[in-house]
Amino acid sequence: MSIGFSPLLPEHQDLLWNFLHIALWDPPPAGLRPVETLQLPAVRIYAENWGRASIEGEKNPIGACWMRLVPDGLGLDYIDEQTPQLGIALLPTYQHKGYGKAMMLAALDVARQRSIEQVSLTVPSGRHVCILWLCAN
């Protein structure tokens, strides 16, 4: 598996909205939440200024992993104004194949390079990413 990373630029805004929609995961048998959920102020705060990932040789991104500092106690897992909240999403075709782990580890590496001591991640019960999160620290 070879995965490449590139920054999310303003022209990728529609792409990020798509990945945010995928990231708003609910346990089965629930499907994706209604797309209108993206318009809620508490959700919109997660969709700006982030990075994207793609498999080398492919032109289209397969997922996104992003972090954002959220002020004033906003967000699902707010800790403090120095702790970014992390979001991650992969297109369904690429889920459960190790790409998410690579994306998250790359994002955490960037956080370490920027002297960020911790990040926050909200995870619905039953998601295996919790184990990854513990192993990555």
Side-chain angles (χ1 to χ4, degrees):
M1 167 181 53
S2 180
I3 190 166
F5 298 92
S6 61
L8 181 66
L9 302 172
E11 59 262 26
H12 300 124
Q13 186 64 55
D14 289 342
L15 180 68
L16 183 57
W17 285 117
N18 182 48
F19 284 121
L20 178 60
H21 190 222
I22 294 169
L24 296 173
W25 184 87
D26 286 317
L32 291 176
R33 294 180 187 185
V35 72
E36 294 79 18
T37 304
L38 297 173
Q39 299 306 315
L40 297 173
V43 175
R44 292 187 62 83
I45 62 173
Y46 294 106
E48 298 172 347
N49 304 323
W50 309 71
R52 66 181 190 150
S54 63
I55 297 174
E56 287 183 18
E58 287 206 14
K59 296 178 182 175
N60 297 316
I62 61 155
C65 186
W66 61 95
M67 288 178 269
R68 180 166 191 173
L69 290 170
V70 181
D72 302 324
L74 298 174
L76 297 173
D77 201 17
Y78 179 85
I79 295 176
D80 57 42
E81 289 192 12
Q82 291 76 41
T83 303
Q85 296 183 40
L86 186 139
I88 186 168
L90 282 165
L91 294 174
T93 305
Y94 298 96
Q95 294 174 4
H96 310 290
K97 295 180 180 177
Y99 295 113
K101 178 178 179 178
M103 286 173 35
M104 183 179 287
L105 292 175
L108 292 175
D109 188 48
V110 170
R112 283 186 200 98
Q113 291 171 18
R114 295 181 180 182
S115 300
I116 295 172
E117 295 182 12
Q118 63 182 1
V119 299
S120 169
L121 175 64
T122 301
V123 181
S125 63
R127 290 294 283 193
H128 298 291
V129 75
C130 291
I131 296 168
L132 167 64
W133 179 245
L134 293 173
C135 293
N137 286 307

